[in-house]
Amino acid sequence: MLAGKKVLVGITGGIAAYKTAEVVSRLRKLHAEVHVAMTKSATEFITPLTLRSLSANPVYVDLFDEPKLWNVEHIALAEHVDAVIVAPATANFLAKIAIGLADDFLSTVLLATRAPIFVAPAMNQAMYLHPATQNNLTCLRERGVKIIGPGTGFQACGTDGIGRMTEALEIVETLAQFLSSRKLLKGKKALVTAGGTQEPLDPVRYLGNRSSGRMGYAIAQALQEAGAETTLISAPTDLATPSGVNRVSVHTALEMFEAVLSRFPEVDVVIKAAAVADFRPAVQAEQKIKKNGSNRVLELVPNPDILAELGRRKTSQVLVGFAAETENLLANAEDKMRRKNVNLLVANDVTKQGAGFGSLTNIVSFLFPDGRKIDFPQMSKHEVAQHLIREIANLLGVESKE
Ligand code: PMT
């Protein structure tokens, strides 16, 4: 199943390190090429010899060891692998990679690699629930790192609670599923929009909305990881461009309209996750508007509906729209799906806790013109993006290439 796939397994210093031997063994049984890098502390829990025997490859511990395979090993390994899994990932190690420290072999590879990174946290429940650890996990998640677990149950320190490393079988299944669906969209060209457009009133003010761009950026990353040549048309956000994605920055709905429409004929799929302003100020003042004590009336003019225009022009493209609703979610979403002629509509009730604007998670339903509907529970925006990739592949008539 994983023949030809190269996986780096990183092990850090926690008691769950002994379980990682099974992760390595299972990956080998699926025919993956496995490399192992351990922190010094990890070698206190399990020997490099065990991992070398199971992986059938040299094990990396020290940055300054004699090279085993390549000249600049940490860089060569970083570029060589298709995915990295760190299991167990201690609280200390999560903190290190969250701030980008590179003071040993494993953390240096993580900073240098552009391969997808998975971490399986394992620690005492109090350490896991500490705001510092939670902040580090949020930061990593936002950067696209995939967090597996942790589970709940008996812990080596004698307590019961959250912080157990996910079992080896589940870790390997997650990796295998990810790696085998990676190239689902190879050869396809994708366009995603993200963020909230800004419609200027004067040189210092604009009309905007609460979109953080997270949903669209997660989709862009998932498309790129699925092998699609991905362009992200982004309204202003604080987010880093996912590795390998071509980003085009815009501010206004009109700029987004232009950027999307000019690329539309060449792409196979468009996903419109951006929150586009329906109106813009009729006049943009050249100088900062001064207050004069009296009321001010703003005249707004309609912006073009980009998605509806794509729906009119589409030939073979798969078109995915979003609907951000505050009431009558399904009825409004179905209406948008038909009016805008999309192949798939992602409906989210943005008044729900953990859904919509700004949050790390979303609660969505996928609606299809043939009447099918799939409801999802609350999940991370990256997980929503993964589900979207599978549906887009179906709509494009793509079979898994693995
Ligand atoms: O960015 P995040 O903080 O992660 O938040 C995610 C999100 C809530 C922005 C996202 O999940 C979402 O719902 N995006 C669509 C927001 C929106 O503008 O919805 P709408 O119902 O107003 O528009 C319907 C569809 O038409 C959308 O695909 C929109 O991109 C598109 N549209 C709208 C107006 C317009 N002038 N042109 C458009 O193309």
Side-chain angles (χ1 to χ4, degrees):
M1 190 180 181
L2 294 182
K5 300 292 180 196
K6 291 151 282 191
V7 181
L8 172 64
V9 178
I11 310 179
T12 70
I15 181 62
Y18 77 92
K19 293 189 192 172
T20 311
E22 191 186 339
V23 172
V24 173
S25 164
R26 284 184 178 277
L27 285 169
R28 284 288 314 288
K29 283 184 191 144
L30 294 175
H31 305 289
E33 177 186 313
V34 184
H35 300 271
V36 178
M38 305 172 72
T39 62
K40 276 243 166 56
S41 318
T43 64
E44 302 283 337
F45 291 92
I46 183 167
T47 69
L49 178 62
T50 306
L51 282 314
R52 193 168 78 211
S53 310
L54 290 170
S55 68
N57 267 316
V59 170
Y60 302 89
V61 179
D62 201 315
L63 260 179
F64 302 104
D65 281 345
E66 274 300 295
K68 295 177 177 84
L69 286 177
W70 298 282
N71 280 342
V72 187
E73 290 186 304
H74 58 282
I75 302 296
L77 193 59
E79 289 171 355
H80 180 68
V81 293
D82 298 302
V84 182
I85 164 77
V86 181
T90 59
N92 180 61
F93 193 76
L94 293 171
K96 266 170 70 167
I97 59 172
I99 58 170
L101 277 186
D103 62 352
D104 60 12
F105 189 92
L106 181 57
S107 54
T108 308
V109 175
L110 286 191
L111 204 55
T113 193
R114 291 296 166 261
I117 298 172
F118 293 74
V119 295
M123 67 201 73
N124 159 273
Q125 58 159 332
M127 291 169 77
Y128 177 74
L129 294 172
H130 193 284
T133 304
Q134 289 303 312
N135 279 348
N136 291 331
L137 285 167
T138 301
C139 159
L140 292 172
R141 210 174 270 125
E142 282 197 1
R143 226 184 271 154
V145 173
K146 293 156 208 353
I147 319 284
I148 306 177
T152 302
F154 180 73
Q155 299 196 293
C157 53
T159 54
D160 223 298
I162 186 157
R164 276 173 65 89
M165 186 171 100
T166 299
E167 295 306 322
L169 175 63
E170 198 182 326
I171 291 176
V172 172
E173 277 177 351
T174 307
L175 267 175
Q177 196 190 18
F178 176 82
L179 285 168
S180 56
S181 66
R182 279 194 74 198
K183 300 299 172 212
L184 213 49
L185 299 181
K186 195 169 179 187
K188 302 291 178 195
K189 288 189 177 169
L191 196 63
V192 193
T193 68
T197 62
Q198 297 182 350
E199 311 297 326
L201 277 166
D202 67 16
V204 299
R205 303 182 180 95
Y206 60 81
L207 296 179
N209 62 65
R210 296 179 197 280
S211 170
S212 64
R214 284 191 180 118
M215 190 67 252
Y217 275 60
I219 295 168
Q221 182 180 345
L223 286 163
Q224 197 278 335
E225 287 172 353
E229 191 183 319
T230 305
T231 300
L232 171 65
I233 313 283
S234 177
T237 73
D238 294 333
L239 305 175
T241 309
S243 165
V245 168
N246 168 33
R247 169 170 158 174
V248 177
S249 296
V250 297
H251 282 84
T252 64
L254 286 177
E255 286 169 9
M256 187 174 277
F257 181 83
E258 188 51 44
V260 172
L261 268 288
S262 61
R263 289 168 177 82
F264 189 50
E266 296 133 40
V267 299
D268 302 289
V269 52
V270 177
I271 299 135
K272 289 244 44 250
V276 186
D278 287 322
F279 300 94
R280 66 181 183 277
V283 180
Q284 184 187 338
E286 277 182 21
Q287 303 301 332
K288 184 179 169 198
I289 299 168
K290 301 280 182 220
K291 55 179 177 290
N292 59 9
S294 54
N295 292 352
R296 198 173 180 97
V297 177
L298 256 187
E299 189 190 347
L300 300 175
V301 294
N303 273 326
D305 189 318
I306 307 169
L307 186 58
E309 187 55 37
L310 297 179
R312 277 190 283 279
R313 293 192 191 188
K314 89 176 152 110
T315 50
S316 58
Q317 292 94 339
V318 164
L319 201 52
V320 180
F322 270 72
E325 303 298 339
T326 56
E327 57 176 352
N328 303 328
L329 177 69
L330 290 180
N332 286 337
E334 270 172 24
D335 178 55
K336 274 181 190 158
M337 176 173 66
R338 297 196 195 288
R339 268 193 299 113
K340 304 196 185 200
N341 190 24
V342 299
N343 302 87
L344 162 55
L345 191 119
V346 182
N348 45 189
D349 178 343
V350 294
T351 61
K352 275 195 187 154
Q353 181 94 19
F357 294 95
S359 59
L360 292 175
T361 58
N362 209 350
I363 306 169
V364 301
S365 298
F366 289 177
L367 309 184
F368 300 86
D370 62 9
R372 271 185 309 134
K373 177 161 90 65
I374 311 174
D375 296 319
F376 293 94
Q378 180 174 356
M379 57 177 71
S380 77
K381 286 180 175 170
H382 287 280
E383 285 168 316
V384 172
Q386 292 300 336
H387 285 285
L388 207 47
I389 297 298
R390 281 193 274 282
E391 292 305 327
I392 289 168
N394 279 340
L395 290 166
L396 286 166
V398 176
E399 296 283 319
S400 171
K401 290 200 167 52
E402 305 302 316

